[in-house]
Amino acid sequence: MKKLVALALAAALGISTLLTGCGSSNNSTNQKNTNSSTKTSESQPAKQITLRFSWWGDDTRHQATLNAIKLFEQKYPNIKIQAEYAGWDGYLDKQTTQMAGGTAADIMQINWNWLPLFSKDGNGFYDLNKLSSELGLDNYSKDILATGTVNGKLNGIPVAMTGRVLYVNKTMYDKYGATIPKTWDDLINDASKFPKGSYPIVTGSYDSWLLSMTYAEQETGKPFLTTDGKLNFTQDDIKTALSFYKTLLDKKVTTPIQSIAAEGGNGLAPIAQLPSFLNGKFAGLFEWTSAISKEATPIKQNNMELVTAGLPMNSDAKTSAAILKPSMLFAINKDCKYPKEAATFLNFILNDPQGVEAMGTNRGIPVSKAALDTLKKDGKISGLEYEGLQILESKPGLPLSPYLEDPKLQQVYDQTIDKISYNQETVDQAAKEMYTNIQNVLSQITK
């Protein structure tokens, strides 16, 4: 992590007071960006404003965002952006601590499932509807903005949309004479063509639940959870999902969790790091569209090709059950002292051609009309992510609950899948236990 760069501009200009946004800074993860320009708009007083901006990501995201910040500061020299960034591990814990202590950044990158964690009533973040012109909200559809709205208050602007799609290693499928699956039956039949130790797909614990949940939603026509956090599946519906997962295991369609653990990982191990995925033995995955480049790149480097298979559906499916949600959102702290300036920054990185080009598609293919037009002109809108999104958007699913990815619920999903994979429980036992555990967790997190 880069260390802080001292902000010496105020002293050089003889400015007696440096105005900052809300909260305190974390010296271990912050970077203050300096700019020698002192010009401000004639209508603005000559004062310096500093806003803290926090996000998580990899080095590529960090550098792209820092580049965008530099361009913004050149265009708006009286506004300084103090960058606070880190990797994903431990980020939610840090965010939770800051939100509880009133030290969160002025501008925050947040996950969609954090809305019920930090803003159940819609008052946890600044209402961005109040900054419509500064943010350029006319670049977003009502449906897109609705995903970031709580109780009529726009808590966050979706940066991009993402969803789960099946991608397969075409090189290995062709080698074994397997077909690109269009239905779940196709996928199951493909397994018989793969040699021992090789699988049509690899799914970790959470992947396995989302895949099985998708199948059960297609079968029942019902969403697993309601948007207000109630369990909509019966115990039998959960059994339908877990029975499907057991079939995938028994038919050697997907890897048992033990196989992932044997390669030095666990049920949550990044698939792109598994040797058997990199050499083609694990020949497909059910992945977020926004994350697929992480797997596609090493596959291409190994002279193989990952292609979009789409979302399998049997002929009697009642719905596509497509999982589609914001990949992440940008929010403004409810206590931010300079919300208009914060909105000006977000508008720059989300809609301004300069900011959009600097940010690129690391956070996903943007949903802003202005950003999309800019990147299309640059020829940057194509590939596996775009193909997957087109498929999901053409097959609308059921309303997706923001509670689906609550960390406590994810623990229940993972534990249930692991118990079936390790033969510690039968499907009946696991379904009964999962039904009870889901109810218990929901009663806690929806209070």
Side-chain angles (χ1 to χ4, degrees):
M1 183 63 60
K2 299 181 179 179
K3 295 183 178 179
L4 288 176
V5 176
L7 185 59
L9 184 59
L13 297 175
I15 298 174
S16 60
T17 303
L18 179 64
L19 299 177
T20 61
C22 52
S24 60
S25 61
N26 183 337
N27 291 336
S28 65
T29 59
N30 299 349
Q31 174 173 329
K32 295 182 180 179
N33 295 278
T34 61
N35 188 300
S36 59
S37 175
T38 63
K39 295 180 181 179
T40 59
S41 169
E42 292 181 2
S43 62
Q44 293 286 335
K47 66 180 180 181
Q48 199 78 3
I49 291 172
T50 297
L51 295 169
R52 294 167 54 210
F53 175 34
S54 64
W55 74 89
W56 73 86
D58 57 13
D59 289 341
T60 301
R61 177 177 298 172
H62 298 333
Q63 191 56 57
T65 309
L66 292 172
N67 290 342
I69 288 173
K70 183 177 180 180
L71 291 171
F72 173 80
E73 291 180 336
Q74 290 172 355
K75 188 171 184 178
Y76 300 92
N78 67 308
I79 305 174
K80 299 303 173 187
I81 304 299
Q82 181 173 298
E84 304 177 11
Y85 52 93
W88 170 249
D89 289 345
Y91 197 89
L92 177 55
D93 291 337
K94 174 185 174 183
Q95 184 73 22
T96 301
T97 299
Q98 290 184 333
M99 291 291 288
T103 60
D106 298 284
I107 306 160
M108 295 169 268
Q109 175 180 297
I110 64 172
N111 254 342
W112 184 55
N113 64 308
W114 294 359
L115 291 178
L117 289 176
F118 300 128
S119 189
K120 282 189 175 70
D121 59 359
N123 293 317
F125 299 102
Y126 196 94
D127 182 5
L128 302 181
N129 287 316
K130 298 177 181 178
L131 302 167
S132 179
S133 60
E134 290 88 352
L135 288 166
L137 293 186
D138 55 349
N139 283 295
Y140 303 86
S141 70
K142 290 182 180 179
D143 289 341
I144 292 295
L145 293 179
T147 63
T149 299
V150 182
N151 285 345
K153 298 178 180 180
L154 183 59
N155 278 207
I157 299 181
V159 179
M161 299 297 284
T162 187
R164 287 276 178 157
V165 170
L166 190 67
Y167 294 96
V168 300
N169 187 326
K170 186 175 183 297
T171 306
M172 303 309 293
Y173 268 66
D174 288 347
K175 178 179 179 179
Y176 299 128
T179 59
I180 306 299
K182 300 300 180 186
T183 68
W184 299 113
D185 291 337
D186 291 341
L187 181 61
I188 292 171
N189 291 334
D190 279 338
S192 63
K193 300 178 181 179
F194 280 76
K196 185 177 180 180
S198 293
Y199 299 85
I201 60 174
V202 53
T203 54
S205 303
Y206 187 46
D207 307 323
S208 297
W209 170 248
L210 290 183
L211 186 74
S212 303
M213 182 194 77
T214 298
Y215 171 83
E217 288 187 343
Q218 290 180 359
E219 289 291 299
T220 64
K222 296 160 49 178
F224 169 55
L225 300 176
T226 63
T227 55
D228 59 352
K230 293 182 175 61
L231 179 58
N232 201 42
F233 267 21
T234 64
Q235 184 174 315
D236 283 341
D237 296 333
I238 293 177
K239 180 180 176 181
T240 296
L242 297 180
S243 294
F244 178 66
Y245 175 59
K246 188 66 165 63
T247 297
L248 297 182
L249 290 174
D250 292 344
K251 297 290 186 180
K252 312 297 183 186
V253 178
T254 191
T255 50
I257 303 304
Q258 301 92 301
S259 296
I260 297 175
E263 300 204 357
N266 55 41
L268 303 176
I271 288 174
Q273 297 178 11
L274 300 177
S276 290
F277 176 76
L278 298 175
N279 65 24
K281 291 178 69 176
F282 299 166
L285 68 165
F286 189 57
E287 179 62 288
W288 295 112
T289 54
S290 57
I292 191 59
S293 63
K294 295 178 181 178
E295 288 91 9
T297 298
I299 289 296
K300 184 177 181 179
Q301 290 172 345
N302 288 342
N303 299 313
M304 294 179 286
E305 181 186 11
L306 209 61
V307 299
T308 307
L311 187 62
M313 294 172 59
N314 287 340
S315 59
D316 58 351
K318 295 180 173 65
T319 175
S320 71
I323 299 174
L324 186 63
K325 61 158 191 148
S327 61
M328 60 191 67
L329 306 93
F330 285 141
I332 294 177
N333 193 314
K334 64 182 177 63
D335 297 321
C336 181
K337 294 180 181 178
Y338 305 106
K340 288 188 177 181
E341 287 80 359
T344 298
F345 172 69
L346 286 181
N347 186 47
F348 179 81
I349 63 175
L350 290 172
N351 301 314
D352 187 289
Q354 263 194 310
V356 168
E357 289 175 354
M359 295 285 277
T361 58
N362 184 274
R363 288 174 170 85
I365 294 176
V367 292
S368 157
K369 296 173 186 175
L372 205 55
D373 288 344
T374 296
L375 294 177
K376 279 183 176 179
K377 290 177 184 177
D378 292 344
K380 295 180 180 178
I381 304 298
S382 62
L384 297 176
E385 179 183 0
Y386 185 55
E387 292 171 4
L389 285 173
Q390 285 185 308
I391 289 172
L392 294 172
E393 290 169 358
S394 69
K395 298 179 179 180
L398 299 166
L400 193 66
S401 174
Y403 289 93
L404 176 66
E405 294 189 296
D406 181 271
K408 291 182 179 178
L409 286 177
Q410 287 196 44
Q411 288 181 1
V412 176
Y413 310 150
D414 297 343
Q415 290 168 1
T416 304
I417 289 296
D418 289 356
K419 286 179 180 179
I420 292 177
S421 182
Y422 280 91
N423 292 313
Q424 294 173 347
E425 287 185 352
T426 65
V427 168
D428 285 331
Q429 291 171 331
K432 182 179 180 180
E433 182 178 41
M434 185 177 189
Y435 181 81
T436 300
N437 289 341
I438 293 291
Q439 292 278 36
N440 290 339
V441 171
L442 287 173
S443 68
Q444 299 170 21
I445 65 176
T446 58
K447 288 181 179 179

